[in-house]
Amino acid sequence: MPLPRQGNNNLFSNSFFIFIIRFFPSLANLLVMIWFSRYFTEHQYGLYQNFWIQVYVLAPIICFGVHVLIMTYNKETIVGIVRRISLFRYSLYFTWVIILGMVFATLQYNFLENNFLLPFIFLILFSITFILESFLIVCRNYISLAVINISFSLAWCLIHWNCIQESISLTDLFGLLMIIVAARFIIYTIISIVNYRKEIAENNMPVIESGKIRALWLHLGLYDVLQVLFSYVDKFIISLLLVAQVSAVYYNASQNIPFLPLLLSAAGSAVLLQLASRKSSDENTETIRLMNQSGKLLSSIVFPVFFYLLFFRYELIVKLFSEKYIPAVPIFFMSILVLPVRAYNFTTVLQRHHKGHIINAGAIADLVLALALMYPLYLWLGLPGVALSFVVSTYLQAAFYLYYSARILNVRTSKLIPILNWIIKLIVFGCLFIAIHYIFTRYFTSWITLILGGVALFFIIMATLFIELKKQNQDVGTR
């Protein structure tokens, strides 16, 4: 039976809306990172980032995979799970949340001028918002979420810009941020309650496999925490062993490329939403098809971004963060080598089939291998070697996940990824950006080169996505 054309469009539209919802807060954080790097001393900038490093480590521990688990099921199942959880278990969870909030408040007590309540409430509201947002995504409240997050991001930028212009203290800054974090939390809560009551009124509760769901939740929670440790353990170790100025340089150079993690998460979530809402006679075939579609669409964005960052890396670091961050260029070069593997969500199949133990085995091996390689590569290459250790371990982790995903679906690994499509794109995009960078640097200043390169990147991505979507629609139409 032919697959409907609508299914192909849904994958793209779901990915697009999920990405947009999370895009603007990330853009706001990027702008703040650039502003504070340029206008503040390394010491001031370090104090500000220390607050967020602790938030980003503790927030996933508070959520412990709940926000990830929600994306695995449809809204009927989620509501059914919520109704079946006992009051005792809710009490245990909120005790856990309060304890971690107190830990964070204690860590920030001196930094925020002996203010305990501000960091305590800030972390709890910031963390629970992730869970509510995942539920609203499953409920397809895309427009509401986009409007809320655009408004939130504008307020976020205005507050930080005011901090620079008026030289307000960091305590006052986080007090103002607390207001908009609380506002977003309240709005999310109200919309979530409306969706929850609507689902109860429709009385469409599916059968819940509690044991299976609980096991997946524990595995996803552990995996999410491990991923956070993987992202921040190198920065944490360097902050302990090296001086603050070196730590600041490494922090800026080794950041995840803004928006790409969101893009990968959006694509994986869209595939899970498609599979959860569609009853297919052959789910394995449908999964393979969706994963290939996702890989082709993601590579249309990730590969051009990779080559742009690779060839424009010097202009990017110097013009965005100023010349004091020139030592970050070789570190940045090593860190972006991981980008091609980001054109695919390697855990989607495993998550769909409740293989949390495999996901966690790969995450633990990834972290252990990166830590084992860190010191030898540091002795060989210096700080760029530290970044390279995490690149090597990530590629090996991707191969591990791909192997087990293929085993679950009983196909060759080559069936899960669009190899030929990727090879062609790597060759074409690589040649294009070599030529673009050579021409622009020959005739224009660094700022104009960077801007024109970004414009070229935008049009290349748009053209590639148009061609890819047109081809996928034609393929669906011929089935």
PDB file of all heavy atoms in Angstrom, residues 10 13 31 62 69 96 104 144 166 196 222 228 235 254 290 314 349 354 410:
ATOM      1  N   ASN A  10       5.029  15.509   7.380  1.00  0.00           N
ATOM      2  CA  ASN A  10       4.926  15.572   8.839  1.00  0.00           C
ATOM      3  C   ASN A  10       6.282  15.462   9.506  1.00  0.00           C
ATOM      4  O   ASN A  10       6.544  16.121  10.514  1.00  0.00           O
ATOM      5  CB  ASN A  10       4.014  14.458   9.350  1.00  0.00           C
ATOM      6  CG  ASN A  10       2.547  14.802   9.183  1.00  0.00           C
ATOM      7  OD1 ASN A  10       2.207  15.957   8.966  1.00  0.00           O
ATOM      8  ND2 ASN A  10       1.686  13.805   9.272  1.00  0.00           N
ATOM      9  N   SER A  13       7.869  18.871   9.093  1.00  0.00           N
ATOM     10  CA  SER A  13       7.169  19.922   9.840  1.00  0.00           C
ATOM     11  C   SER A  13       7.332  19.740  11.344  1.00  0.00           C
ATOM     12  O   SER A  13       7.541  20.713  12.070  1.00  0.00           O
ATOM     13  CB  SER A  13       5.689  19.958   9.459  1.00  0.00           C
ATOM     14  OG  SER A  13       5.064  18.736   9.770  1.00  0.00           O
ATOM     15  N   LEU A  31      24.020  35.000  21.851  1.00  0.00           N
ATOM     16  CA  LEU A  31      24.249  36.445  21.845  1.00  0.00           C
ATOM     17  C   LEU A  31      24.839  36.915  23.167  1.00  0.00           C
ATOM     18  O   LEU A  31      25.771  37.730  23.190  1.00  0.00           O
ATOM     19  CB  LEU A  31      22.937  37.180  21.562  1.00  0.00           C
ATOM     20  CG  LEU A  31      22.359  37.014  20.149  1.00  0.00           C
ATOM     21  CD1 LEU A  31      20.992  37.685  20.057  1.00  0.00           C
ATOM     22  CD2 LEU A  31      23.311  37.579  19.105  1.00  0.00           C
ATOM     23  N   ILE A  62      17.840  16.631  37.958  1.00  0.00           N
ATOM     24  CA  ILE A  62      16.487  16.834  38.484  1.00  0.00           C
ATOM     25  C   ILE A  62      15.452  16.178  37.580  1.00  0.00           C
ATOM     26  O   ILE A  62      14.566  15.448  38.034  1.00  0.00           O
ATOM     27  CB  ILE A  62      16.193  18.341  38.639  1.00  0.00           C
ATOM     28  CG1 ILE A  62      16.939  18.912  39.855  1.00  0.00           C
ATOM     29  CG2 ILE A  62      14.686  18.592  38.793  1.00  0.00           C
ATOM     30  CD1 ILE A  62      16.725  20.390  40.072  1.00  0.00           C
ATOM     31  N   LEU A  69      11.834  10.718  28.160  1.00  0.00           N
ATOM     32  CA  LEU A  69      10.861   9.620  28.112  1.00  0.00           C
ATOM     33  C   LEU A  69       9.553  10.072  27.492  1.00  0.00           C
ATOM     34  O   LEU A  69       8.936   9.330  26.712  1.00  0.00           O
ATOM     35  CB  LEU A  69      10.610   9.094  29.532  1.00  0.00           C
ATOM     36  CG  LEU A  69       9.583   7.964  29.652  1.00  0.00           C
ATOM     37  CD1 LEU A  69      10.167   6.662  29.125  1.00  0.00           C
ATOM     38  CD2 LEU A  69       9.121   7.805  31.102  1.00  0.00           C
ATOM     39  N   TRP A  96      13.470  14.715  46.029  1.00  0.00           N
ATOM     40  CA  TRP A  96      14.704  14.705  45.238  1.00  0.00           C
ATOM     41  C   TRP A  96      14.961  16.073  44.617  1.00  0.00           C
ATOM     42  O   TRP A  96      16.092  16.588  44.647  1.00  0.00           O
ATOM     43  CB  TRP A  96      14.571  13.635  44.164  1.00  0.00           C
ATOM     44  CG  TRP A  96      15.587  13.621  43.060  1.00  0.00           C
ATOM     45  CD1 TRP A  96      15.417  14.039  41.787  1.00  0.00           C
ATOM     46  CD2 TRP A  96      16.932  13.134  43.144  1.00  0.00           C
ATOM     47  NE1 TRP A  96      16.558  13.847  41.048  1.00  0.00           N
ATOM     48  CE2 TRP A  96      17.511  13.298  41.857  1.00  0.00           C
ATOM     49  CE3 TRP A  96      17.699  12.585  44.169  1.00  0.00           C
ATOM     50  CZ2 TRP A  96      18.820  12.925  41.575  1.00  0.00           C
ATOM     51  CZ3 TRP A  96      19.007  12.215  43.880  1.00  0.00           C
ATOM     52  CH2 TRP A  96      19.551  12.383  42.620  1.00  0.00           C
ATOM     53  N   PHE A 104      22.297  23.289  44.997  1.00  0.00           N
ATOM     54  CA  PHE A 104      22.654  24.394  44.107  1.00  0.00           C
ATOM     55  C   PHE A 104      22.655  25.724  44.855  1.00  0.00           C
ATOM     56  O   PHE A 104      23.557  26.556  44.665  1.00  0.00           O
ATOM     57  CB  PHE A 104      21.667  24.450  42.949  1.00  0.00           C
ATOM     58  CG  PHE A 104      21.929  25.565  41.977  1.00  0.00           C
ATOM     59  CD1 PHE A 104      23.070  25.572  41.196  1.00  0.00           C
ATOM     60  CD2 PHE A 104      21.023  26.609  41.842  1.00  0.00           C
ATOM     61  CE1 PHE A 104      23.315  26.603  40.297  1.00  0.00           C
ATOM     62  CE2 PHE A 104      21.262  27.645  40.944  1.00  0.00           C
ATOM     63  CZ  PHE A 104      22.409  27.634  40.176  1.00  0.00           C
ATOM     64  N   SER A 144       1.841  27.895  20.276  1.00  0.00           N
ATOM     65  CA  SER A 144       1.911  28.491  21.618  1.00  0.00           C
ATOM     66  C   SER A 144       3.333  28.464  22.153  1.00  0.00           C
ATOM     67  O   SER A 144       3.834  29.459  22.701  1.00  0.00           O
ATOM     68  CB  SER A 144       0.988  27.725  22.574  1.00  0.00           C
ATOM     69  OG  SER A 144      -0.351  27.799  22.152  1.00  0.00           O
ATOM     70  N   GLU A 166      24.039  49.165  32.109  1.00  0.00           N
ATOM     71  CA  GLU A 166      23.841  49.789  33.418  1.00  0.00           C
ATOM     72  C   GLU A 166      24.802  49.281  34.483  1.00  0.00           C
ATOM     73  O   GLU A 166      24.781  49.757  35.620  1.00  0.00           O
ATOM     74  CB  GLU A 166      22.403  49.547  33.890  1.00  0.00           C
ATOM     75  CG  GLU A 166      21.333  50.041  32.927  1.00  0.00           C
ATOM     76  CD  GLU A 166      21.362  51.553  32.754  1.00  0.00           C
ATOM     77  OE1 GLU A 166      21.793  52.247  33.709  1.00  0.00           O
ATOM     78  OE2 GLU A 166      20.959  52.032  31.678  1.00  0.00           O
ATOM     79  N   TYR A 196      -4.075  18.268  29.714  1.00  0.00           N
ATOM     80  CA  TYR A 196      -4.261  17.087  30.545  1.00  0.00           C
ATOM     81  C   TYR A 196      -5.749  16.823  30.791  1.00  0.00           C
ATOM     82  O   TYR A 196      -6.242  15.685  30.633  1.00  0.00           O
ATOM     83  CB  TYR A 196      -3.521  17.283  31.870  1.00  0.00           C
ATOM     84  CG  TYR A 196      -3.644  16.142  32.850  1.00  0.00           C
ATOM     85  CD1 TYR A 196      -2.873  14.994  32.708  1.00  0.00           C
ATOM     86  CD2 TYR A 196      -4.529  16.222  33.930  1.00  0.00           C
ATOM     87  CE1 TYR A 196      -2.977  13.948  33.618  1.00  0.00           C
ATOM     88  CE2 TYR A 196      -4.643  15.191  34.834  1.00  0.00           C
ATOM     89  CZ  TYR A 196      -3.856  14.057  34.673  1.00  0.00           C
ATOM     90  OH  TYR A 196      -3.966  13.013  35.570  1.00  0.00           O
ATOM     91  N   LEU A 222      19.651   7.911  33.254  1.00  0.00           N
ATOM     92  CA  LEU A 222      21.096   7.718  33.395  1.00  0.00           C
ATOM     93  C   LEU A 222      21.830   8.221  32.164  1.00  0.00           C
ATOM     94  O   LEU A 222      22.870   8.881  32.260  1.00  0.00           O
ATOM     95  CB  LEU A 222      21.394   6.233  33.630  1.00  0.00           C
ATOM     96  CG  LEU A 222      22.870   5.850  33.759  1.00  0.00           C
ATOM     97  CD1 LEU A 222      23.535   6.596  34.907  1.00  0.00           C
ATOM     98  CD2 LEU A 222      23.021   4.338  33.941  1.00  0.00           C
ATOM     99  N   VAL A 228      25.386  14.849  29.889  1.00  0.00           N
ATOM    100  CA  VAL A 228      25.752  16.132  30.479  1.00  0.00           C
ATOM    101  C   VAL A 228      27.182  16.087  31.001  1.00  0.00           C
ATOM    102  O   VAL A 228      27.982  17.013  30.782  1.00  0.00           O
ATOM    103  CB  VAL A 228      24.774  16.509  31.608  1.00  0.00           C
ATOM    104  CG1 VAL A 228      25.281  17.721  32.369  1.00  0.00           C
ATOM    105  CG2 VAL A 228      23.394  16.793  31.034  1.00  0.00           C
ATOM    106  N   LYS A 235      35.668  20.641  30.559  1.00  0.00           N
ATOM    107  CA  LYS A 235      35.689  22.034  31.025  1.00  0.00           C
ATOM    108  C   LYS A 235      35.904  22.091  32.528  1.00  0.00           C
ATOM    109  O   LYS A 235      36.615  22.956  33.044  1.00  0.00           O
ATOM    110  CB  LYS A 235      34.384  22.732  30.638  1.00  0.00           C
ATOM    111  CG  LYS A 235      34.110  22.729  29.134  1.00  0.00           C
ATOM    112  CD  LYS A 235      32.713  23.222  28.828  1.00  0.00           C
ATOM    113  CE  LYS A 235      32.387  23.111  27.350  1.00  0.00           C
ATOM    114  NZ  LYS A 235      32.406  21.723  26.844  1.00  0.00           N
ATOM    115  N   SER A 254      35.314  25.135  22.890  1.00  0.00           N
ATOM    116  CA  SER A 254      34.813  23.756  22.894  1.00  0.00           C
ATOM    117  C   SER A 254      33.306  23.665  23.120  1.00  0.00           C
ATOM    118  O   SER A 254      32.777  22.583  23.358  1.00  0.00           O
ATOM    119  CB  SER A 254      35.527  22.949  23.992  1.00  0.00           C
ATOM    120  OG  SER A 254      35.284  23.506  25.272  1.00  0.00           O
ATOM    121  N   LEU A 290      12.150   6.345   7.759  1.00  0.00           N
ATOM    122  CA  LEU A 290      12.192   7.619   8.477  1.00  0.00           C
ATOM    123  C   LEU A 290      13.608   8.001   8.892  1.00  0.00           C
ATOM    124  O   LEU A 290      13.989   9.171   8.831  1.00  0.00           O
ATOM    125  CB  LEU A 290      11.279   7.552   9.702  1.00  0.00           C
ATOM    126  CG  LEU A 290       9.774   7.553   9.427  1.00  0.00           C
ATOM    127  CD1 LEU A 290       8.995   7.300  10.709  1.00  0.00           C
ATOM    128  CD2 LEU A 290       9.334   8.864   8.789  1.00  0.00           C
ATOM    129  N   TYR A 314      38.936  31.046  11.766  1.00  0.00           N
ATOM    130  CA  TYR A 314      39.730  32.165  12.297  1.00  0.00           C
ATOM    131  C   TYR A 314      38.884  33.436  12.362  1.00  0.00           C
ATOM    132  O   TYR A 314      38.856  34.122  13.399  1.00  0.00           O
ATOM    133  CB  TYR A 314      40.961  32.400  11.416  1.00  0.00           C
ATOM    134  CG  TYR A 314      41.840  33.516  11.921  1.00  0.00           C
ATOM    135  CD1 TYR A 314      42.793  33.285  12.916  1.00  0.00           C
ATOM    136  CD2 TYR A 314      41.702  34.819  11.428  1.00  0.00           C
ATOM    137  CE1 TYR A 314      43.588  34.325  13.390  1.00  0.00           C
ATOM    138  CE2 TYR A 314      42.481  35.854  11.892  1.00  0.00           C
ATOM    139  CZ  TYR A 314      43.431  35.602  12.879  1.00  0.00           C
ATOM    140  OH  TYR A 314      44.210  36.632  13.352  1.00  0.00           O
ATOM    141  N   VAL A 349      16.409   4.621  17.263  1.00  0.00           N
ATOM    142  CA  VAL A 349      15.927   3.243  17.124  1.00  0.00           C
ATOM    143  C   VAL A 349      16.011   2.511  18.459  1.00  0.00           C
ATOM    144  O   VAL A 349      15.077   1.793  18.852  1.00  0.00           O
ATOM    145  CB  VAL A 349      16.737   2.490  16.046  1.00  0.00           C
ATOM    146  CG1 VAL A 349      16.332   1.009  16.005  1.00  0.00           C
ATOM    147  CG2 VAL A 349      16.523   3.129  14.682  1.00  0.00           C
ATOM    148  N   HIS A 354      13.090   0.393  23.368  1.00  0.00           N
ATOM    149  CA  HIS A 354      13.318   0.262  24.808  1.00  0.00           C
ATOM    150  C   HIS A 354      14.647  -0.429  25.132  1.00  0.00           C
ATOM    151  O   HIS A 354      14.745  -1.221  26.079  1.00  0.00           O
ATOM    152  CB  HIS A 354      12.164  -0.504  25.471  1.00  0.00           C
ATOM    153  CG  HIS A 354      10.860   0.222  25.423  1.00  0.00           C
ATOM    154  ND1 HIS A 354      10.089   0.282  24.278  1.00  0.00           N
ATOM    155  CD2 HIS A 354      10.177   0.926  26.378  1.00  0.00           C
ATOM    156  CE1 HIS A 354       8.992   0.989  24.524  1.00  0.00           C
ATOM    157  NE2 HIS A 354       9.025   1.396  25.781  1.00  0.00           N
ATOM    158  N   ASN A 410      17.268  -6.011  12.191  1.00  0.00           N
ATOM    159  CA  ASN A 410      17.636  -7.160  11.361  1.00  0.00           C
ATOM    160  C   ASN A 410      17.991  -6.740   9.932  1.00  0.00           C
ATOM    161  O   ASN A 410      17.532  -7.330   8.947  1.00  0.00           O
ATOM    162  CB  ASN A 410      16.498  -8.191  11.333  1.00  0.00           C
ATOM    163  CG  ASN A 410      16.972  -9.551  10.837  1.00  0.00           C
ATOM    164  OD1 ASN A 410      18.147  -9.906  10.984  1.00  0.00           O
ATOM    165  ND2 ASN A 410      16.074 -10.305  10.231  1.00  0.00           N
TER     166      ASN A 410
END
